[in-house]
Amino acid sequence: MKLINQLSKETGIPIGTIRFYEKSGLFSGEKKQEVTTNNYVYYGDDVVEKLRFIQMAKAVGFTLAEIKEVVDAWYKKQISKKAKLEVLDRKLVQIDDKIKELKAVKKQIALCKFNIENGIGPDNN
């Protein structure tokens, strides 16, 4: 069992971020019932692994809401291979949609720049 500062050191994740993840329901710690003089929360090794999973999932573009949907099942190996692939396929579709959107924005910006450079449009300054 580890305290939050030990979790932070081991994972490289700031304490505030760990608290935010816990408040978001991604994992939870526990207080020792026999200790009544402080409010220390202790975390098991499973939380270290979940934090690493969360960081990996965030790095490849998953939102915290998406991570919350699958973290426990994925971590506990309760989610089937098919379900894991479906989660990843949905994310790939979202990324493709975002790429199309960004390409359209890029095209509009390039057109705007072209018009400005060539004095085309209502503001020819």
Side-chain angles (χ1 to χ4, degrees):
M1 299 295 278
K2 299 172 186 203
L3 293 169
I4 197 165
N5 65 336
Q6 294 167 307
L7 273 184
S8 178
K9 286 178 186 172
E10 189 170 331
T11 61
I13 299 170
I15 290 172
T17 302
I18 294 171
R19 286 194 174 116
F20 177 77
Y21 291 164
E22 184 172 18
K23 285 179 185 171
S24 297
L26 296 169
F27 59 85
S28 61
E30 56 190 57
K31 295 181 179 183
K32 290 187 177 179
Q33 292 180 350
E34 66 273 12
V35 179
T36 57
T37 57
N38 63 46
N39 284 326
Y40 291 168
V41 177
Y42 296 87
Y43 303 89
D45 289 334
D46 62 316
V47 174
V48 172
E49 291 184 38
K50 284 183 182 181
L51 284 169
R52 290 191 175 126
F53 173 84
I54 292 165
Q55 290 300 97
M56 179 275 306
K58 280 185 61 192
V60 297
F62 284 89
T63 66
L64 287 182
E66 292 168 332
I67 294 168
K68 186 176 179 179
E69 285 181 37
V70 298
V71 66
D72 286 323
W74 194 300
Y75 168 73
K76 292 178 182 175
K77 313 270 190 285
Q78 294 173 340
I79 187 170
S80 70
K81 180 179 175 180
K82 181 181 177 188
K84 286 180 181 180
L85 292 172
E86 287 171 0
V87 166
L88 295 172
D89 284 340
R90 279 196 306 270
K91 181 48 77 177
L92 287 173
V93 168
Q94 289 175 352
I95 290 169
D96 286 340
D97 290 345
K98 189 69 171 175
I99 288 169
K100 288 176 191 171
E101 181 184 318
L102 289 172
K103 283 182 178 181
V105 169
K106 182 179 178 182
K107 187 176 182 179
Q108 287 300 313
I109 291 171
L111 179 61
C112 184
K113 182 180 172 190
F114 176 83
N115 289 342
I116 291 169
E117 289 172 343
N118 293 290
I120 302 170
D123 187 36
N124 295 338
N125 298 346

